[in-house]
Amino acid sequence: MALVDLSAHTDAFNADPYPFYAALRTAGPVHRLVLGGERTWLVVGHEEARQALTHPGLSKDWLGSELFASTLPVQAVATSMLDTDPPRHTRLRRLVAREFTARRVESLRPRVQQITDGLLDAMAARPDRRADLIASFAVPLPMTVICELLGVPGLDRERFRSWSGEIVAPPDGVGADPRAVAEMTAYLFELVAAKAADPGEDLLSALIRTRDEDGGRLSPDELIGMAFLLLVAGHETTVNLIGNGVRALLAHPGQLAELRADPDGLIDGAVEEMLRYDGPVQHATYRFAATDLELGGVTITAGSSVLVALAAADRDPARFAQPGPDVFDIRRTGPGHLAFGHGIHFCLGAPLARMEGRIALRALLERFPDLAGDPEAGPPDWFPGTLMRGVTRLPLRW
């Protein structure tokens, strides 16, 4: 089997990875990949991706992986439910799900709308009628929401945003910046200590108080890992859902016109199609083969790492035949996508991200009926690497 090295096509791949995935899928659903000097397996077929995301032989435990444990600068960040297996994952997810309820999420709806309206007011007041959507809207909306939900409205958001970017989309496109991870972890230790000393009615305080059936609580490291996961994942995915969604609409004016004409009937489907067509997470985080296993006709030996390309799976013609996987169609019906994952690690924050996306996109289009790309802005700046999918800036005019 030929070894795939995407580093030879970095700029083209970052701008549009889908032709590369299509070529790989034609050759087979699973491939050997070199990424950042390490060899891994890349899953590009939809059915094989679903299998990998639920395979009992594929572990998410970073700390148990010989290949990657030594690269983690701070162990606390690898103790969240994202990076653990049952039974520990079961316990952690149950404790968080107990507090991160549908009722709590739904209660945020009026506040999400209020924040959205305030940010759009500020954009509308700009005399040049131009703005970078990412900086002016797509970042501050979910950042404000997740900070208020966790009870940290005083978070140093500029610094936190910088750390987050260096972790999920490092400049070298490969590994999280150890300095950023260490600095964010130290900050979160102080934050959790402050919350423990002066708790409120917020989610972080609830997580500090909550106990499982046996009376156990989240350990200090588990609290840090959970805060890390909720703060980073709680805003980065929604930033790119909004940014990628607006780019898709502007690139498909017919679809944009249909959505403007019937927002009540089409906004839910439009958000789902945005998630499928150009979702915010390109690859799921690493899995590790606990035993020898077979996937897509390929033998993966114990100790190997596996990446599931969610973006590739969601353009698989075997799954999305009509009207074609590369067609952006907000009226699409049929099988669901993998943008939020699948199985026990399915994104716990998916309902919040969907709600924020629907409110944000609908309000943006209603407020600026002639919204368009800024022709003077130059080419997009794409996120490096293969974890997140999106642009760092999206200049618009109206």
Side-chain angles (χ1 to χ4, degrees):
M1 176 178 289
L3 187 65
V4 179
D5 185 357
L6 297 177
S7 63
H9 313 282
T10 300
D11 291 340
F13 179 84
N14 289 340
D16 186 5
Y18 298 105
F20 294 89
Y21 291 139
L24 289 176
R25 260 196 324 268
T26 299
V30 181
H31 295 270
R32 199 69 167 132
L33 174 73
V34 59
L35 188 64
E38 299 286 351
R39 295 192 177 191
T40 187
W41 289 97
L42 181 68
V43 182
V44 294
H46 192 282
E47 182 57 33
E48 292 75 17
R50 286 172 61 90
Q51 293 173 11
L53 293 173
T54 58
H55 201 296
L58 289 175
S59 168
K60 289 299 299 291
D61 185 2
W62 280 72
L63 298 182
S65 164
E66 296 179 1
L67 181 60
F68 284 91
S70 61
T71 69
L72 288 175
V74 182
Q75 287 195 354
V77 303
T79 58
S80 77
M81 56 191 176
L82 179 65
D83 300 312
T84 51
D85 300 323
R88 188 178 188 185
H89 169 271
T90 308
R91 168 181 164 269
L92 291 174
R93 187 164 181 120
R94 183 171 58 237
L95 285 169
V96 178
R98 181 179 298 169
E99 302 299 337
F100 198 71
T101 61
R103 177 176 296 181
R104 188 189 285 268
V105 170
E106 184 59 29
S107 71
L108 295 172
R109 185 179 295 275
R111 179 57 179 150
V112 172
Q113 186 69 61
Q114 183 182 37
I115 297 167
T116 296
D117 293 341
L119 293 170
L120 294 180
D121 286 344
M123 283 177 57
R126 295 177 64 97
D128 58 353
R129 293 182 295 179
R130 281 177 162 83
D132 172 12
L133 186 76
I134 304 300
S136 299
F137 186 60
V139 167
L141 171 58
M143 178 67 82
T144 302
V145 171
I146 197 64
C147 285
E148 292 186 359
L149 174 63
L150 287 172
V152 287
L155 180 74
D156 184 343
R157 296 180 192 179
E158 287 299 318
R159 188 163 52 141
F160 189 88
R161 176 64 183 169
S162 175
W163 289 333
S164 181
E166 291 167 358
I167 291 168
V168 303
D172 64 4
V174 181
D177 185 331
R179 178 194 57 80
V181 176
E183 290 180 2
M184 183 187 288
T185 303
Y187 183 91
L188 292 176
F189 267 111
E190 295 178 3
L191 177 63
V192 168
K195 274 289 169 188
D198 185 21
E201 297 303 315
D202 52 84
L203 178 58
L204 189 53
S205 296
L207 291 175
I208 292 172
R209 292 190 301 264
T210 193
R211 296 176 181 269
D212 60 22
E213 286 79 357
D214 299 324
R217 290 182 171 179
L218 293 168
S219 70
D221 274 2
E222 289 170 343
L223 280 167
I224 298 305
M226 204 61 67
F228 182 96
L229 174 62
L230 292 172
L231 277 166
V232 173
H235 87 275
E236 288 286 358
T237 51
T238 308
V239 170
N240 294 317
L241 165 57
I242 295 171
N244 293 353
V246 170
R247 285 194 303 105
L249 288 172
L250 294 178
H252 299 84
Q255 297 286 294
L256 175 56
E258 288 191 38
L259 181 56
R260 288 191 188 281
D262 183 17
D264 288 337
L266 294 177
I267 188 62
D268 289 1
V271 168
E272 295 309 306
E273 179 67 345
M274 292 167 188
L275 288 164
R276 182 205 69 85
Y277 179 78
D278 202 12
V281 181
Q282 188 171 176
H283 289 179
T285 51
Y286 280 103
R287 283 164 166 76
F288 310 98
T291 61
D292 291 353
L293 57 95
E294 184 176 306
L295 192 64
V298 172
T299 298
I300 297 175
T301 57
S304 300
S305 63
V306 176
L307 283 174
V308 179
L310 304 176
D314 281 340
R315 295 280 191 105
D316 189 339
R319 176 78 170 183
F320 303 100
Q322 297 296 330
D326 296 319
V327 176
F328 179 67
D329 182 5
I330 63 174
R331 296 180 182 271
R332 183 185 295 271
T333 59
H337 56 72
L338 295 177
F340 290 119
H342 178 60
I344 64 171
H345 289 284
F346 182 83
C347 178
L348 189 68
L352 178 58
R354 283 180 161 121
M355 180 181 72
E356 289 180 285
R358 291 164 184 165
I359 290 174
L361 290 159
R362 177 169 181 165
L364 177 70
L365 298 180
E366 289 178 348
R367 191 64 174 273
F368 302 107
D370 57 346
L371 192 72
D374 188 343
E376 300 175 10
D381 295 324
W382 302 96
F383 275 128
T386 62
L387 177 59
M388 305 303 294
R389 169 72 183 154
V391 292
T392 61
R393 50 190 288 273
L394 183 55
L396 299 177
R397 60 184 175 85
W398 57 91

